[in-house]
Amino acid sequence: MVANGPALRLLPRLDDDNRFFWTSGEDGKLRFLRCRSCENLIHPPAPRCPYCLAEYLVPEVVSGHAIVESFTVNHQQWIPGSDPYIVGLVSMVEQSDIRLTTNLVDIEPEDVHIGMEVEVVFEHNDDVYLPLFGRLRSQA
Amino acid sequence: VTTFGQEPLERRAIISGLGQSAVGRRLGRSDLDLTVEACMRAIDDAGLRREDIDGLSTYPGMGAGTPGFAGPSTPEVQDALRLRLNWHDGGGEGAGQMRAVISACLAVAAGLAKHVLVYRTVTESTAQGDGGRPGIGGGGGGGGGVPRFSGFLQWSLPFGAVSAVNWLALVAQRRMDEFDLTREQLGQIAVNARRNAGLNPLAIYRDPMTLDDYLAQRMISTPLCLFDCDAPCDGSTVVVVSHRDFAPDAPHGACYVNAVGTALRGRASWDQYEDLTSMAARDASASMWERTDLRPSDVDVAQLYDGFSILTMVWLEALGFCGRGESGSFVEGGGNIALDGLLPLNTAGGQLSGGRLHGFGLIHEACLQLRAEGGERQVYRSGGRTPEVAAVANGGGPIAGSLLLTRQPG
């Protein structure tokens, strides 16, 4: 059995640019900024759309479904007391160049493969909701 | 072509001298002490006096990164040697660690300085002491409030991806899936480095290592094991960058700068770069070849960054020594990258066995090979000639720089 993450979560410092993202999971939904001009999703949050340079960006709910682009099982004790855990790199099904580094949870490494579809599940830590990814709930 | 109709100005620069301090594990000496030692040796090697030095450059300096990483700042070194500088520069942003060399080349080309000491100093082994290699952010714990993180680290640290080995393990796993790269192939980078380190009396790890030894090593972050990670050490490496007009007076001859690779065209991010299997190495390499008529097949010896073995695989493809996705089969069995192979690679043991001198050990070795001062590990090409063209790469991931050096003027 691998763990769902390190023994201690190092958390982001919330600010006006990233707060919407890191607190989005409060209602169980994942959000990214969407450009109202060119319609692209944007990550990480930026003051203008990096695609078309328009200024009007709004957080928008996405499906929370993603594709595993790569993964690794960390064994090194960077954070004392940690059991092995899976770091995943996933891309959003809505837009493949929007990626998140995350943990793949409630799944064993031998059941993970690049290209598999996963779904977001949030882990609440202090004022942060970390987006983690696991098996599709419809298949769980 | 990115030279905009001009001669590439870096071609006005040469590496006229080399210096290295003691290199080892836990030397217990200060970064400034090691740097001054290496500077004195480099000045002497170039046939210069302290008074001739009018430029100073480093990567990164001034307290950057984890303990033992940054090396002394340029003001400290300037004061320790009481240099009278016309130009000085330091910092951690740019085309990999060799940004410090590249900016020195441009400074001598612009007439801002005649002779620049360029140094990179690490004391990571002493800083780590008996503890393990730290993750970025330290790992927290111990009460008293765990710090929070902004900037790019916020996107990886919460998930325990706290080291470049985690970020590059994602690259390695992706290459295994996309290109059928195997651990047996990846291990050739480490085995080759150790074989060459055995011929380098100054290397950190010199005991023979087999592919089976590699395969039996403990995992750090799958598929990367301990032997895929470089060996933290203490040491300072210095190159003297001079104007090419000085070449006839350099006692060991000049290593001519033919072209530099500095581009960053994709997203400068560990996890957002569009092609996970290449990243910034692709851009730096492309821009370097745009600045020269030399081709990959002209390269006699390659010193390609091996902070992690997977980066060397990425560089082999990015620099065009083999096709995209073909680095695994290129290194298979180790013959192509051996001292007598098609492309002798990391001939002093690289960072995996020679020690993590953070890019500059590779630059140093490229110059030694061009100067035919490689000792037992000297490369001889067909017909018995010594190398004429050397390629060097630093970094990988979202930061990368490359350098093409020649024994003859370009």
Side-chain angles (χ1 to χ4, degrees):
Chain A
M1 280 290 289
V2 296
N4 282 346
L8 176 81
R9 293 289 187 187
L10 301 174
L11 295 176
R13 180 179 294 119
L14 300 191
D15 58 36
D16 289 346
D17 293 330
N18 69 13
R19 184 172 289 105
F20 87 88
F21 179 85
W22 290 117
T23 60
S24 182
E26 190 168 7
D27 64 0
K29 294 184 168 64
L30 182 64
R31 289 170 177 80
F32 292 96
L33 292 180
R34 187 183 289 281
C35 173
R36 280 301 174 88
S37 177
C38 72
E39 299 288 313
N40 274 297
L41 294 173
I42 290 155
H43 185 74
R48 279 179 184 252
C49 171
Y51 298 91
C52 74
L53 304 181
E55 287 183 273
Y56 189 28
L57 312 174
V58 288
E60 187 175 292
V61 171
V62 295
S63 67
H65 287 229
I67 304 296
V68 174
E69 298 289 343
S70 195
F71 65 98
T72 177
V73 183
N74 180 75
H75 291 266
Q76 182 76 1
Q77 291 275 312
W78 314 106
I79 296 171
S82 296
D83 291 321
Y85 52 87
I86 309 173
V87 174
L89 180 60
V90 301
S91 62
M92 299 306 115
V93 294
E94 287 83 358
Q95 190 174 317
S96 62
D97 68 344
I98 300 294
R99 299 192 192 131
L100 293 176
T101 297
T102 185
N103 293 121
L104 301 179
V105 298
D106 301 323
I107 191 166
E108 291 302 307
E110 52 270 27
D111 296 325
V112 176
H113 62 269
I114 289 173
M116 78 184 290
E117 188 170 348
V118 288
E119 185 170 355
V120 73
V121 54
F122 291 96
E123 184 186 294
H124 185 194
N125 287 271
D126 199 358
D127 54 355
V128 172
Y129 293 79
L130 295 174
L132 313 178
F133 287 79
R135 283 192 177 87
L136 300 182
R137 275 191 282 283
S138 60
Q139 295 173 6
Chain B
V1 173
T2 54
T3 53
F4 307 106
Q6 300 182 58
E7 174 204 32
L9 284 189
E10 65 267 36
R11 224 164 276 179
R12 296 184 186 175
I14 60 169
I15 294 177
S16 62
L18 303 172
Q20 204 160 53
S21 71
V23 172
R25 301 274 286 175
R26 298 183 206 168
L27 296 179
R29 294 171 56 185
S30 75
D31 56 6
L32 185 60
D33 181 21
L34 294 169
T35 305
V36 166
E37 181 171 277
C39 284
M40 297 302 291
R41 290 175 180 173
I43 293 169
D44 186 57
D45 184 79
L48 296 170
R49 297 165 306 143
R50 179 255 304 261
E51 290 71 22
D52 298 316
I53 301 298
D54 62 351
L56 187 64
S57 174
T58 194
Y59 173 98
M62 207 66 101
T66 47
F69 176 80
S73 66
T74 53
E76 287 174 273
V77 176
Q78 190 261 3
D79 193 54
L81 292 171
R82 298 295 156 89
L83 300 172
R84 292 171 57 82
L85 299 176
N86 291 316
W87 178 83
H88 53 101
D89 181 47
E93 298 174 27
Q97 298 85 337
M98 67 171 60
R99 67 157 296 284
V101 175
I102 294 170
S103 62
C105 293
L106 299 182
V108 299
L112 287 166
K114 283 186 174 144
H115 301 289
V116 184
L117 289 175
V118 188
Y119 66 92
R120 174 78 184 101
T121 305
V122 286
T123 51
E124 291 179 301
S125 180
T126 290
Q128 287 166 24
D130 293 330
R133 197 164 175 168
I136 292 166
V146 178
R148 289 207 175 197
F149 295 89
S150 299
F152 78 97
L153 291 174
Q154 70 178 297
W155 307 112
S156 58
L157 297 195
F159 311 101
V162 299
S163 164
V165 69
N166 298 129
W167 309 332
L168 288 165
L170 296 169
V171 173
Q173 187 66 44
R174 179 77 191 193
R175 294 185 75 89
M176 289 188 168
D177 185 78
E178 199 168 324
F179 303 135
D180 297 322
L181 172 68
T182 66
R183 284 197 69 217
E184 286 75 7
Q185 292 169 339
L186 190 55
Q188 290 296 341
I189 301 294
V191 170
N192 176 71
R194 183 62 63 87
R195 189 167 49 232
N196 293 340
L199 301 173
N200 174 11
L202 300 176
I204 301 282
Y205 294 127
R206 306 187 62 216
D207 294 340
M209 182 222 292
T210 66
L211 189 57
D212 284 339
D213 294 333
Y214 166 87
L215 293 170
Q217 266 302 316
R218 69 183 172 91
M219 280 291 162
I220 302 296
S221 192
T222 62
L224 302 181
C225 70
L226 183 66
F227 285 173
D228 290 305
C229 307
D230 59 5
C233 69
D234 298 344
S236 179
T237 308
V238 174
V239 299
V240 182
V241 172
S242 301
H243 193 279
R244 67 182 173 198
D245 290 351
F246 177 68
D249 299 316
H252 296 270
C255 296
Y256 288 83
V257 176
N258 184 268
V260 299
T262 57
L264 178 59
R265 294 165 181 167
R267 295 185 64 182
S269 160
W270 285 97
D271 57 4
Q272 305 294 334
Y273 198 97
E274 65 269 32
D275 178 12
L276 266 180
T277 63
S278 62
M279 297 215 243
R282 181 187 69 182
D283 301 338
S285 302
S287 69
M288 184 181 83
W289 294 121
E290 287 161 10
R291 298 177 71 78
T292 181
D293 292 328
L294 293 172
R295 309 288 13 131
S297 58
D298 295 317
V299 172
D300 293 313
V301 63
Q303 313 292 340
L304 307 184
Y305 193 75
D306 61 345
F308 300 96
S309 56
I310 190 68
L311 288 172
T312 314
M313 303 291 264
V314 170
W315 278 111
L316 282 169
E317 294 173 22
L319 283 165
F321 297 122
C322 57
R324 180 170 182 268
E326 294 172 1
S327 57
S329 51
F330 185 80
V331 305
E332 181 106 44
N336 277 343
I337 56 175
L339 290 181
D340 60 354
L342 191 63
L343 184 74
L345 176 70
N346 295 355
T347 50
Q351 297 188 176
L352 293 172
S353 285
R356 176 181 159 77
L357 294 165
H358 212 220
F360 274 48
L362 299 165
I363 301 169
H364 185 271
E365 174 67 7
C367 294
L368 281 186
Q369 288 288 340
L370 291 176
R371 285 160 47 154
E373 295 172 5
E376 275 194 88
R377 63 183 189 278
Q378 179 63 46
V379 167
Y380 295 96
R381 306 296 275 165
S382 62
R385 68 174 177 84
T386 55
E388 292 288 333
V389 180
V392 192
N394 279 185
I399 341 153
S402 61
L403 183 62
L404 202 58
L405 298 169
T406 62
R407 190 54 169 158
Q408 301 300 324

